[in-house]
Each structure stands twice: as C-alpha cells, then as structure tokens.
Amino acid sequence: IHALLGSKIFCNRDIVETQQHYRSRWRSIRILYLTMFLSSVGFSIVIMSIWPYLQKIDATADASFLGWIIAAYSVGQMVASPLFGMWSNYRPRGEPLAVSITISVAANCLYAYVHLPTSHNKYYMLVARALVGFGAGNVAVVRSYIAGATSLAERTSAMANTSACQAIGFILGPVFQTCFTLIGEKGVTWEIIALQVNMYTAPVLFGALLGVINIILIFAIFREHQVDDIGRWCKKINTEAEENDDVVQATQGNIDHIAVVETNILFFVILFIFAVFETIATPLTMDMYSWTRKEAVFYNGIILGAIGIESVIVFMAVKILSKKTGERALLYGGLLIVLVGFFILLPWVNKLPSIQWEGIRINTQPPNSTVEPTGCPAVQSWCLDTPVIHLAQYITSDILIGLGYPVCNVMSYTLYSKILGPKPQGVYMGWLTASGSGARIFGPVFVTQIYTHLGPRWSFSLICGIVVLSLLLLEVVYKRLIAFSIRYGRLPE
C-alpha cells in the first residue's frame, strides 16, 4: 500500500514521513552543508595572506596586531551567533541565513578596498574581518537546524558531514589562495571602480561570488523540517502547526546544564588550540625558515590543504568508529593526539634560526634596502637564543593536529546536540558557536603576544598545559555526556 501511495515509513506509531518529505528534508540539510562549506572558505581563503597583505598596506602593523585582525572575525561571530540562533528559534531559518550571508558578501567587498585609504588601513581591515565573522554567525543556525532535522541515529553522521564540509572549505580556501598567488602582488586594476585585483583581493571577491550563489540556493531549495530523536516527524518550532502528544512527551525533562556548560568549556579549548595553530603558522615559518611573504603563503597553503584532506578522511572515519567506541572515547583520544602534536612542536635542537638582515649586512646593503627582509627579526629577543624548529617537526605536528582536531570538533558538536535532545537548539547552538568564537578571539591574541615576546617554547608549552587540563575536565564529566533520551530512559545507551 505504501509503495502505491509513494510513501515510506521512517518512524514509529502513527507519524509517517513520506518519501517526498524525506527527500525535501535531506535536500535542505545538504544546502546547509554547502552553507557551512562556504562559511569556512570565507575564513580560510585569506588566512595565509592576511599577514603579508597587512604588512603591505600598513607599515605600522606588527605581529601583535595580526592577532587582533584574526580575532576580529571571531568577535563578530561571537556577537552574532546567539542573535541568529534566537532568531531561528522563532522565525523561519531562511531569514537569518539570507541576512547573514548578505553581510558576509558586503564585508568581503569592503576587504577588497582596504588598500585605498591613505592611513589607518589596518583598522579598515579589522572592521572588514569583523563583519565577515558577524555573517558567519549563521553556523549556529546551520547546526541547530541539522540537529533538529535528524534523528539520534542520523545525528553523528550528519554532524560529521557538516564538519567535513567545513573542513573541505578549509582545504579549498588555502588552495584557492595558492592559485591566486599566480596573479601576483600587483595584479590588475579596474580603474572605473578603483578595484585592485591581486593575490590578496581576488580571494575575497571570489568568496563574495560564492555567497551570492548560496543565497540563491537557500531561497530556491531550503525548506523547514524537524524530527524527534526517534525520527518521527514533528512540529517545526517556528511554525503554527499543532504538536503531537508523543512529541510533547519526548521533550519533557530538564537539560543537564552542567553537561552543557562543561561541553562549552571543552569546545572552547578545542577551538582555542586550533586557532593558535592556524594563526602562528605564517609568522612561525617566516621566522624559522626565512621564507618570504609569498613563499609563506604558498607553502602554508599547500600544507594546510593537505591537512584539510586528512581531516575529511578523519570525518568520514569517525562515523564508523563512533559506533564502536562511542563519542566520548573518541573525544578523549582526539585530545591526546593534539597534545602529542604540540609537544613535538617544542624547540629541541641547538641550531638557532637565521636573524633578519644578517645576509643583507654581509652584502653591505643598508637596512632600508628594497630587498624583502627574511629570517627571525632581532627585535624579538628570543630569536637570539631559542633553537630552530625543524621543518620535519613542523610537518609532523601538522599531521597530528590535523588528525586530532577534526575528531574533537565532530564529537563536541554531536555530544552537545544529543545532550540538548528535542529541545529548541538555536540559542544553545548560538552559545556553543560563541564559545568557539571566543576561543578564536583569545587564541590568536594569546599566541601572538606570547610568541612575539617569549617565543615558541613558552607558547607551545602553555598550550600543552591547557590540553592536559581539558583532559582532566573530560575525565570528571565523562559520565554526564549522554543523550537527552538516554538520560530519561527513552532509548537504551
């Protein structure tokens, strides 16, 4: 009978999800996969070029200000995430999605023009990146929708796919940036609108184009859907439909707010250590290996692209591994791998890095030469007595962090959404995203300040200590990190 009617049972009792509804639900989820991908591209497509571009447009900017530039993105996201999350709890999610992406498109266009003012260019870049981050606050809307539109059995896989799309964005962002280096620093200028298209501005213009495409797809394809933990269709929280009694019963019970707070803390740590890693990559390699600005952008783009590919493989693997070990054990293992990665990154040998201007002095050229200075700047006093970090150490650390971070990322989101259960998750996901954004604020500022004044040994030692503390916290809260339906005995653990 169901075959004749074109319907399929995906739920229990008398609540039926038709084939059409099922397909529409997953089309909408896949559109949000794309939104997550484009959001991460918007962040990563310039991450390797921000530092050299900042040096080019404003000579007063130093490594410490780089931390504020990168943190500005996260400040915007931290402010916007709870707002967009609350908006999505009471209104159709297409509204905050479209508005947020429009803001990101406008901010990318602003970034393309930050070279025009005659002074204070670094502050214009700061504002542009803050607005891009504000637009990226839609991550809370994406995650809350996917959590509400999937059953408990579908949740881990859907969250892993979401994070995989995010990781692919981080892969292709640096790859796009690497391709755009072929345009060069000078590039071409469109005089009519005073637009300079070069290796620094082309990526953000490309990002703006992708944002416009995303808005069109949201209006054309995205629809509202919600199911409960078992997979039964239920009322969408932001429509006028009546609730089913089974759904009301499924939502009864209090959220474990201790588990919620502690998951937010763990997520903060996870994003903090990754923000440190991606922020310090360009300055570290320029100081340790005497790479030029262009070389640092190019080589780190390749390295981060390779790590992104590794991360996608990990995201796919955790969907299988989580069924055997559980999300909590994977989270613990991911943190251990990250700890080993940062421990390896500590300076161990006796060789010192090359000091900036040393080679030019040998050739009797003055310090104000047009030749780009390379090496570790002598104004950073630690350069004179801190051993170099070998390239093999750096790459090994990259591989390990690229393995541990995606595991921690997916498991954090999955556990969090399961702890919340069938409750409206917009605001809660907004706070989780804000927690991660806060980490992206403090991480870059922390590492650039510590790195500039004390060097890599202190920077990475402190990170190792933070990871150890997070492992201890996870040990304490381990038994509380269970799904809402399991906590109230509605599903077996």
Side-chain angles (χ1 to χ4, degrees), residues 59-285:
T60 65
D62 56 15
S64 296
F65 197 82
L66 170 66
W68 292 108
I69 290 285
I70 295 176
Y73 176 95
S74 299
V75 171
Q77 191 178 52
M78 184 175 70
V79 172
S81 294
L83 298 177
F84 287 135
M86 186 178 297
W87 188 349
S88 71
N89 271 5
Y90 298 101
R91 296 288 300 169
R93 292 182 178 90
E95 293 178 6
L97 287 171
V99 169
S100 61
I101 297 168
T102 301
I103 292 172
S104 292
V105 170
N108 278 327
C109 293
L110 173 61
Y111 185 94
Y113 284 97
V114 296
H115 63 280
L116 284 181
T118 56
S119 62
H120 306 299
N121 304 73
K122 61 184 182 183
Y123 296 110
Y124 290 107
M125 182 183 285
L126 187 75
V127 171
R129 291 302 292 171
L131 289 174
V132 172
F134 192 91
N138 60 24
V139 170
V141 182
V142 171
R143 296 278 188 182
S144 66
Y145 178 86
I146 291 174
T150 54
S151 67
L152 209 60
E154 297 170 325
R155 191 82 44 81
T156 300
S157 178
M159 286 295 180
N161 289 340
T162 306
S163 296
C165 290
Q166 189 175 36
I168 292 171
F170 282 117
I171 293 172
L172 294 183
V175 171
F176 291 147
Q177 174 68 82
T178 301
C179 294
F180 287 128
T181 58
L182 299 175
I183 300 175
E185 289 192 334
K186 185 176 180 181
V188 295
T189 302
W190 194 354
E191 298 290 351
I192 298 177
I193 56 175
L195 178 62
Q196 189 177 89
V197 181
N198 55 31
M199 62 181 281
Y200 303 121
T201 61
V204 293
L205 295 173
F206 180 67
L209 175 62
L210 294 178
V212 172
I213 295 172
N214 193 14
I215 293 172
I216 294 171
L217 290 175
I218 285 174
F219 281 117
I221 300 174
F222 179 79
R223 298 293 182 270
E224 292 283 344
H225 295 285
Q226 185 169 343
V227 298
D228 67 5
D229 278 354
I230 299 174
R232 300 172 297 183
W233 180 88
C234 60
K235 187 201 92 162
K236 297 180 283 291
I237 54 176
N238 39 17
T239 64
E240 299 296 329
E242 294 182 1
E243 289 192 66
N244 182 279
D245 291 340
D246 292 332
V247 176
V248 173
Q249 183 180 4
T251 61
Q252 287 179 346
N254 296 321
I255 294 172
D256 186 348
H257 285 96
I258 294 177
V260 167
V261 171
E262 289 165 343
T263 306
N264 271 275
I265 294 172
L266 288 171
F267 189 68
F268 176 92
V269 172
I270 291 163
L271 269 291
F272 179 89
I273 57 182
F274 189 74
V276 166
F277 169 73
E278 65 187 2
T279 300
I280 205 61
T282 301
L284 179 69
T285 51

Side-chain angles (χ1 to χ4, degrees), residues 321-359:
L321 291 174
S322 64
K323 295 177 182 178
K324 298 180 179 180
T325 65
E327 288 89 357
R328 294 175 295 181
L330 279 179
L331 178 57
Y332 198 94
L335 284 170
L336 282 175
I337 293 171
V338 170
L339 175 62
V340 174
F342 274 101
F343 185 77
I344 289 174
L345 202 54
L346 292 170
W348 294 106
V349 297
N350 295 323
K351 182 182 176 182
L352 297 178
S354 299
I355 304 301
Q356 196 172 109
W357 296 114
E358 184 175 70

Side-chain angles (χ1 to χ4, degrees), residues 36-46 166 168-170 172-173 176 206-207 210:
M36 183 66 79
F37 163 77
L38 295 178
S39 178
S40 63
V41 166
F43 176 79
S44 65
I45 201 168
V46 297
Q166 189 175 36
I168 292 171
F170 282 117
L172 294 183
F176 291 147
F206 180 67
L210 294 178

